[in-house]
């Protein structure tokens, strides 16, 4: 064994508890960063259940051309999504924060509670 491999194995053995503590974070990283890649890949293929995700024919941007074509509802769906998200942000962040600031500015303690 080379000294590099010996040093690496010694490091692993010496700090095994620290490396075990990293395992949950690595599992979360893999779950939320690498596993969803299959869905992104599927958007660029002519998906066929028999062939699977990575066996289906790659079509590039043809699916997106179809989705945003004149006969499709792609633009309407995109507009509705942005519209709903905009008002969700307004109702979910700006209004509650404004109310919290107004309540915080009340001087009378009994009313504030």
């Amino acid at each position: 064994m080379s000294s590099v491999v010996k040093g690496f194995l010694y490091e692993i053995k010496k700090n095994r508890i620290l490396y075990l503590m990293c395992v949950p974070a690595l599992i979360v990283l893999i779950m939320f960063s690498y596993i969803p890649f299959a869905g992104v890949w599927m958007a660029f293929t002519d998906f066929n259940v028999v062939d699977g995700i990575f066996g289906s024919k790659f079509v590039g941007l043809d699916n997106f051309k179809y989705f945003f074509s004149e006969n499709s509802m792609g633009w309407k769906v995109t507009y509705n999504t942005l519209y709903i998200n905009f008002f969700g942000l307004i109702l979910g962040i700006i209004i509650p924060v404004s109310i919290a600031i107004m309540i915080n500015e009340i001087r009378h303690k009994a009313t504030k509670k």
Side-chain angles (χ1 to χ4, degrees):
M1 281 171 127
S2 70
S3 62
V4 174
V5 174
K6 270 187 172 178
F8 177 73
L9 293 176
Y10 175 74
E11 173 70 23
I12 296 289
K13 185 177 180 183
K14 179 181 164 196
N15 296 314
R16 66 183 172 274
I17 301 297
L18 295 175
Y19 288 113
L20 280 174
M21 290 171 56
C22 292
V23 170
L26 290 173
I27 290 170
V28 169
L29 177 75
I30 290 168
M31 278 178 36
F32 293 107
S33 297
Y34 294 104
I35 292 175
F37 177 72
V40 173
W41 180 259
M42 193 185 313
F44 296 98
T45 62
D46 184 15
F47 181 68
N48 184 352
V49 177
V50 175
D51 295 333
I53 294 173
F54 296 107
S56 298
K57 180 183 170 209
F58 183 78
V59 293
L61 295 174
D62 289 345
N63 291 336
F64 295 96
K65 288 178 190 174
Y66 173 75
F67 184 70
F68 289 110
S69 68
E70 280 186 40
N71 299 336
S72 179
M73 295 289 290
W75 290 111
K76 184 70 174 172
V77 169
T78 304
Y79 171 78
N80 289 343
T81 301
L82 294 174
Y83 184 80
I84 290 169
N85 283 316
F86 174 75
F87 284 107
L89 287 172
I90 297 294
L91 296 174
I93 294 176
I94 295 174
I95 292 174
V97 169
S98 301
I99 291 171
I101 290 171
M102 287 189 286
I103 289 173
N104 192 44
E105 293 298 320
I106 295 175
R107 296 196 190 272
H108 195 264
K109 287 193 177 202
T111 310
K112 195 181 223 182
K113 287 183 181 180

